[in-house]
Amino acid sequence: MAPQLSLFGDVTNDPVGMFNNFRVYGTVVLLVLAAIVFIGVKFVSKFAAISLFCVILSILSIYVGALVKVNGVVGSVEPCVLGDRLLKSDYSGECAKYHEDGNKTSQWQQYCVLNETTEEYTDCDPYFAENDFSHIQGIKGLSSGIIKDNWNNSYLEPGEVSPGVNGNVDTMVVATMTTSFMVLVGIFFPSVTGIMAGSNRSGDLADASKSIPVGTIAAILTTSFVYLTSVILFGGAVDRRLLLDKYGASLDGGLIVAQLCWPHPMVIVVGSFLSTLGAGLQSLTGAPRLLQAIAQDGIIPFLAPFGVSTARGEPARALLLTVCISELGILIASLDYIAPILTMFFLMCYGFVNLACALQTLLHTPNWRPRFRFYHWSLSFLGLSLCIAVMFMSSWYYAIVAMALAVIIYKYIEYRGAEKEWGDGIRGLALSAARYSLLRLEEGPPHTKNWRPQILILCKLNDELHPKHRGMITFASQLKAGKGLTLIASVLEGEHHKMIGEAQAAKQSLMKIAKEEKVKGFVDVVIAGHVTDAIKYIVQSAGLGGLRHNTVILGWPYGWRQSTDARNFSVFIDTIRAVSTNQDALLVLKGIDKYPCGSDKVNGNIDIWWIVHDGGLLMLLPFLLKQHKVWKNCKMRIFTVAQMEDNSIQMKKDLKTFLYHLRIDAEVEVVEMVDGDISAYTYERTLMMEQRNEMLKEMRLTRTESQRLVQNIVDHHHEIGSTTHIRKRLDTVQEDTPEDRPVANNVDKKKSSRKNDKNKSDSTESFSNLLKIKPDVMNVRRMHTAVKLNEVIVNKSHDAQLVILNLPGPPKHTAGEQNCIL
């Protein structure tokens, strides 16, 4: 525009100096524009009107110039050529080999070697020797028919003057970069990005829903018409060689289009300058507001400081960040490198807009109600496809980097971004995909090869609404390793309307712990009047469609021996029966509080006691545990129980074969159980169990009386030295002494005394009847088997890190459930 203002040498033929001038003057102009934008959007809007007037005037001058100069421009635009190669103006000197007096011109110094002895030029460039210098008419006009010569493409590599022909980079106008159709598209594309300016300033529009569609479509039609007709005018009026002169080196750095316009070239120079300023102002006005909106929504947390506005409502901080980003582009300086980068991000923006519109339409989102009558989702998919195609055709490596950056930003927003009421299209797509998958799962049960435990954890809560045994969730995390389905459920006993707050608090507590233990699943808390009924309903209805549990994790009921409340074991038995009826696998965890946490690494053995053949589930559990880093270094040992009459050698061989087919590496050992005499301990323990169960079944006693009878049974079967210790442990409810009770009158006192005497008499009679009970022979046998098996397990697996064993299911009828837990 003004070569005489160059700060770094000749801007016409020195690209380095030209780029340095771009950096200095570009930074100054950027600061001026930022100051104008900071004054306020009203000032920018007023300047935009002036800029628009100048742009329209410049465009009209080009059209008028093309018509007025239909026969071309003679005299002013006549660059020098050697043969058909265009020369730079600074190196062309005289456009001839010889002066009028016959002496050689300075051109010989550029293409030949001077022999100092003979003072003759030798070893001249062959092209120089074969061709002469001449001036050409640069602008030939529309009537010349030159559009036919300019119609075909002419893509060059660096240093070429024509396809496949290298030129003298010092004197000739050569290509400075590789050109192709897609490279030119990438360079040209940013010139049409202004069509989204209205959307970026939607907050300042009176009726955005009406103005944006009309303005955007009008902008597309107008710019498309101007750009296409300009290309035709330039191609039909300007010489091909001059069109390839990107920096105007053959015209002393002048603009070729300025020579075509009418009435004066400065109209284009001033119009282009003001157009550039206007576009910069529009970008510096819209981008900070868009950035501020993103920051205020909390989508990207680290951008939160840029959501602050000044007292006049201007996004000062966002403007400052926008200026810094713009300065990076100015420091790059070369538009050939900046334009493809801008193209990628604009195409990403347009592509995501099209994708969002298409998804909202296909998912039939209720809040998606476009007013544009001619919209169809296929147009959005077509736009998305074109955006992706142009990205990869322009620069595949830039496209990959841009997409990777977009994915990183999206995952960051998904991980750290704030939840908003408007949701997102991806969530709607996920819901549709989930519905489709659930319907597919309903088509039939999973194949055996695809089976894996889908876990339901029945978690008991303490008084603080925290899990009583957190290790159950830890164990599930180690067993699942983040794969498959995990449901965590708990029950609060009470009325729904009174305990809804406690249920929400308990759910939040479980969700927090599940997140800490890295359990991927769902949490729910149920309020019910009876715990047993609630557990049955959970076991039956947990999950959704085909996405439901097949394995239930339950904690061992500690303290059931010392408790007189039948629910301590009846709830446990009912849960087992419900799981068995539902045909789910059941994992009962004992000593769960001693299980290793997720950060530990265990070395040792995992012992599997295969007592009841269950089809291989018992083998699968330790295998899945060994996939987790906690149990990875452990070895598996499998024990199976045989009687004396069984063939232990064949059993061991068959079990090894079975494990080989399961592709499980483990040691195998067959343990032989020897029948022996029933010990006095076994008989005594069975008798205690039956006496206790009979007492709780046949007699409806108060808590204090029940404890007294239990204490009598314990005293009968233990030595006097241990009686005192047990009595202290069981007597948890103290009766008030007569001195502590308030005395109402003598009549009440006598009635109370007679009532207590009667209760004591009934208790003594009940205790006498209980002592007459003889244990059932089958119960004694079962107790004997359990005691012997327990001794063997303790002997063989005392040093194991984990012991896994399977046991028979509960009794089918409730009549025998009292003797189920031995």
Side-chain angles (χ1 to χ4, degrees):
M1 182 175 179
Q4 64 274 12
L5 297 179
S6 173
L7 301 176
F8 300 94
D10 184 15
V11 297
T12 304
N13 298 298
D14 184 11
V16 176
M18 179 178 59
F19 291 150
N20 288 333
N21 279 284
F22 287 169
R23 294 183 179 101
V24 173
Y25 285 110
T27 301
V28 173
V29 173
L30 176 63
L31 294 177
V32 173
L33 294 180
I36 294 174
V37 172
F38 183 76
I39 294 175
V41 68
K42 293 183 179 180
F43 183 83
V44 175
S45 300
K46 293 178 180 179
F47 184 84
I50 300 174
S51 176
L52 178 62
F53 173 77
C54 295
V55 170
I56 294 175
L57 184 62
S58 301
I59 294 174
L60 291 177
S61 69
I62 294 174
Y63 289 118
V64 174
L67 296 177
V68 171
K69 303 174 182 179
V70 66
N71 294 321
V73 178
V74 179
S76 61
V77 186
E78 293 183 351
C80 181
V81 296
L82 174 62
D84 62 349
R85 300 180 183 180
L86 191 64
L87 300 179
K88 296 179 180 179
S89 58
D90 285 1
Y91 293 98
S92 60
E94 294 187 26
C95 191
K97 291 183 179 180
Y98 299 94
H99 293 292
E100 293 181 358
D101 58 3
N103 293 326
K104 295 179 179 179
T105 63
S106 59
Q107 297 288 1
W108 291 80
Q109 299 176 6
Q110 303 294 334
Y111 300 99
C112 301
V113 178
L114 177 63
N115 189 330
E116 296 181 356
T117 304
T118 60
E119 294 186 356
E120 294 291 335
Y121 289 101
T122 59
D123 297 330
C124 294
D125 184 280
Y127 190 82
F128 172 79
E130 297 172 0
N131 295 275
D132 293 327
F133 291 89
S134 62
H135 288 281
I136 63 170
Q137 185 181 7
I139 299 178
K140 297 183 178 182
L142 296 175
S143 62
S144 63
I146 198 174
I147 191 172
K148 296 179 180 178
D149 298 332
N150 293 337
W151 191 260
N152 296 326
N153 61 58
S154 183
Y155 302 127
L156 305 177
E157 296 293 330
E160 292 183 348
V161 293
S162 60
V165 179
N166 291 324
N168 190 320
V169 296
D170 294 328
T171 62
M172 298 179 181
V173 177
V174 298
T176 58
M177 63 176 295
T178 301
T179 57
S180 65
F181 174 76
M182 296 315 304
V183 170
L184 296 180
V185 169
I187 296 174
F188 174 77
F189 188 81
S191 62
V192 298
T193 55
I195 60 176
M196 292 290 288
S199 300
N200 294 338
R201 297 178 60 185
S202 58
D204 299 324
L205 299 175
D207 189 356
S209 60
K210 179 180 179 180
S211 300
I212 290 177
V214 175
T216 302
I217 294 175
I220 292 174
L221 295 177
T222 303
T223 53
S224 299
F225 173 79
V226 172
Y227 292 149
L228 292 176
T229 54
S230 298
V231 169
I232 295 174
L233 289 178
F234 297 153
V238 183
D239 186 271
R240 182 188 190 91
R241 289 163 290 188
L242 202 58
L243 289 174
L244 295 176
D245 187 3
K246 181 166 59 175
Y247 298 118
S250 62
L251 300 176
D252 292 327
L255 296 176
I256 298 172
V257 65
Q259 305 299 326
L260 181 62
C261 77
W262 181 90
H264 195 276
M266 287 304 296
V267 175
I268 290 297
V269 174
V270 174
S272 300
F273 180 71
L274 293 178
S275 175
T276 304
L277 291 181
L281 285 174
Q282 294 294 330
S283 298
L284 287 177
T285 302
R289 282 164 172 75
L290 184 61
L291 178 62
Q292 183 187 41
I294 295 174
Q296 289 177 346
D297 284 343
I299 298 175
I300 304 178
F302 69 82
L303 293 179
F306 299 99
V308 180
S309 300
T310 63
R312 295 181 292 106
E314 295 296 327
R317 295 184 182 180
L319 175 61
L320 179 62
L321 179 60
T322 304
V323 170
C324 294
I325 297 174
S326 302
E327 180 63 19
L328 295 178
I330 292 175
L331 293 178
I332 296 175
S334 177
L335 289 177
D336 295 338
Y337 298 106
I338 298 174
I341 299 175
L342 296 178
T343 299
M344 291 301 157
F345 288 104
F346 274 113
L347 286 172
M348 290 280 289
C349 176
Y350 299 158
F352 281 126
V353 169
N354 283 307
L355 176 62
C357 294
L359 288 180
Q360 297 284 10
T361 304
L362 292 176
L363 297 175
H364 301 286
T365 307
N367 63 348
W368 172 248
R369 299 180 293 273
R371 292 184 178 180
F372 188 62
R373 295 168 52 191
F374 305 103
Y375 171 75
H376 192 267
W377 62 266
S378 59
L379 295 177
S380 296
F381 268 118
L382 177 61
L384 174 63
S385 303
L386 290 175
C387 289
I388 296 176
V390 172
M391 286 177 63
F392 279 94
M393 287 189 293
S394 298
S395 177
W396 62 268
Y397 45 89
Y398 275 150
I400 292 176
V401 172
M403 288 185 173
L405 184 60
V407 171
I408 292 173
I409 294 175
Y410 175 77
K411 297 306 292 184
Y412 174 79
I413 293 173
E414 186 180 48
Y415 178 69
R416 293 294 303 275
E419 296 182 1
K420 291 298 174 182
E421 60 181 7
W422 29 259
D424 59 81
I426 299 299
R427 183 173 179 84
L429 183 63
L431 290 174
S432 295
R435 181 181 64 86
Y436 173 79
S437 300
L438 287 172
L439 293 176
R440 288 291 304 273
L441 289 175
E442 280 290 293
E443 294 179 0
H447 193 271
T448 305
K449 293 183 178 180
N450 300 327
W451 192 94
R452 66 167 52 243
Q454 313 294 349
I455 294 176
L456 168 63
I457 306 174
L458 297 178
C459 192
K460 190 174 183 179
L461 302 177
N462 57 20
D463 295 337
E464 298 178 353
L465 300 179
H466 293 160
K468 192 172 183 179
H469 303 290
R470 178 170 176 164
M472 296 174 63
I473 302 176
T474 305
F475 177 80
S477 174
Q478 297 170 5
L479 183 64
K480 300 292 293 180
K483 304 296 189 300
L485 174 68
T486 302
L487 303 174
I488 304 176
S490 186
V491 179
L492 293 179
E493 192 170 9
E495 298 182 15
H496 182 267
H497 65 280
K498 293 182 179 180
M499 302 192 64
I500 188 65
E502 289 83 348
Q504 293 294 332
K507 185 174 181 179
Q508 293 297 324
S509 173
L510 290 173
M511 291 176 63
K512 180 180 178 182
I513 294 176
K515 185 177 181 180
E516 292 174 355
E517 297 293 343
K518 299 180 180 180
V519 173
K520 304 294 185 181
F522 308 97
V523 175
D524 204 359
V525 177
V526 178
I527 303 173
H530 301 282
V531 175
T532 303
D533 293 338
I535 291 177
K536 290 179 180 179
Y537 298 148
I538 292 174
V539 171
Q540 294 179 66
S541 60
L544 180 62
L547 190 65
R548 64 179 315 278
H549 62 278
N550 54 30
T551 304
V552 178
I553 291 183
L554 187 64
W556 183 262
Y558 297 99
W560 65 274
R561 296 180 188 276
Q562 293 78 22
S563 176
T564 58
D565 189 356
R567 293 197 311 170
N568 281 359
F569 66 87
S570 64
V571 172
F572 179 72
I573 295 298
D574 289 339
T575 303
I576 295 178
R577 184 178 288 110
V579 174
S580 177
T581 304
N582 209 45
Q583 296 184 350
D584 293 331
L586 176 63
L587 304 180
V588 181
L589 307 181
K590 190 174 183 181
I592 188 63
D593 294 330
K594 298 179 181 179
Y595 277 46
C597 62
S599 60
D600 296 338
K601 289 188 177 181
V602 179
N603 294 306
N605 297 320
I606 299 178
D607 287 356
I608 301 99
W609 285 83
W610 201 12
I611 300 172
V612 179
H613 292 194
D614 56 1
L617 175 61
L618 195 68
M619 310 299 176
L620 181 62
L621 294 179
F623 173 78
L624 294 177
L625 284 174
K626 281 175 60 65
Q627 307 306 307
H628 197 274
K629 63 180 180 180
V630 173
W631 305 95
K632 187 176 183 181
N633 298 327
C634 292
K635 296 181 179 179
M636 291 173 55
R637 297 191 304 182
I638 299 179
F639 299 89
T640 187
V641 179
Q643 300 295 330
M644 290 299 297
E645 60 272 13
D646 295 332
N647 189 343
S648 301
I649 298 176
Q650 186 62 37
M651 288 181 63
K652 185 174 182 179
K653 182 178 179 181
D654 293 342
L655 186 54
K656 284 185 175 181
T657 303
F658 178 68
L659 294 176
Y660 174 78
H661 290 300
L662 290 178
R663 296 182 293 278
I664 294 177
D665 184 19
E667 299 179 9
V668 177
E669 183 175 345
V670 178
V671 179
E672 295 182 348
M673 294 284 290
V674 181
D675 288 336
D677 296 334
I678 298 174
S679 63
Y681 169 78
T682 303
Y683 185 88
E684 180 179 320
R685 187 170 179 182
T686 307
L687 180 59
M688 283 182 60
M689 180 67 68
E690 292 196 358
Q691 287 176 340
R692 180 180 184 277
N693 292 336
E694 188 67 22
M695 175 194 68
L696 296 177
K697 178 181 177 182
E698 295 182 359
M699 303 184 67
R700 298 181 180 273
L701 304 175
T702 63
R703 182 178 179 85
T704 303
E705 293 169 338
S706 298
Q707 288 178 345
R708 186 183 300 115
L709 285 177
V710 173
Q711 185 65 60
N712 290 335
I713 296 172
V714 174
D715 294 345
H716 181 74
H717 292 282
H718 291 78
E719 296 179 356
I720 299 175
S722 62
T723 302
T724 304
H725 172 73
I726 297 174
R727 185 183 301 277
K728 291 179 180 179
R729 177 166 53 85
L730 291 177
D731 287 345
T732 58
V733 178
Q734 301 290 338
E735 292 187 5
D736 296 334
T737 60
E739 292 78 9
D740 297 333
R741 294 195 189 104
V743 179
N745 51 55
N746 292 333
V747 177
D748 292 339
K749 185 174 181 180
K750 291 180 180 180
K751 288 183 179 180
S752 176
S753 176
R754 287 195 299 269
K755 184 177 181 180
N756 289 337
D757 293 340
K758 185 178 183 300
N759 289 338
K760 290 181 180 179
S761 175
D762 293 341
S763 299
T764 303
E765 182 180 356
S766 299
F767 174 67
S768 301
N769 294 334
L770 289 174
L771 294 179
K772 298 177 182 179
I773 296 177
K774 300 296 182 182
D776 183 74
V777 177
M778 292 303 298
N779 288 341
V780 175
R781 278 290 178 187
R782 294 191 188 98
M783 180 66 76
H784 173 70
T785 302
V787 171
K788 296 294 292 183
L789 181 59
N790 186 64
E791 292 176 354
V792 173
I793 293 175
V794 171
N795 182 42
K796 293 287 186 180
S797 301
H798 66 277
D799 59 344
Q801 296 292 341
L802 180 66
V803 178
I804 304 175
L805 66 153
N806 55 358
L807 296 173
K812 295 182 180 180
H813 305 288
T814 58
E817 70 178 10
Q818 291 85 355
N819 298 323
C820 180
I821 301 179
L822 300 180

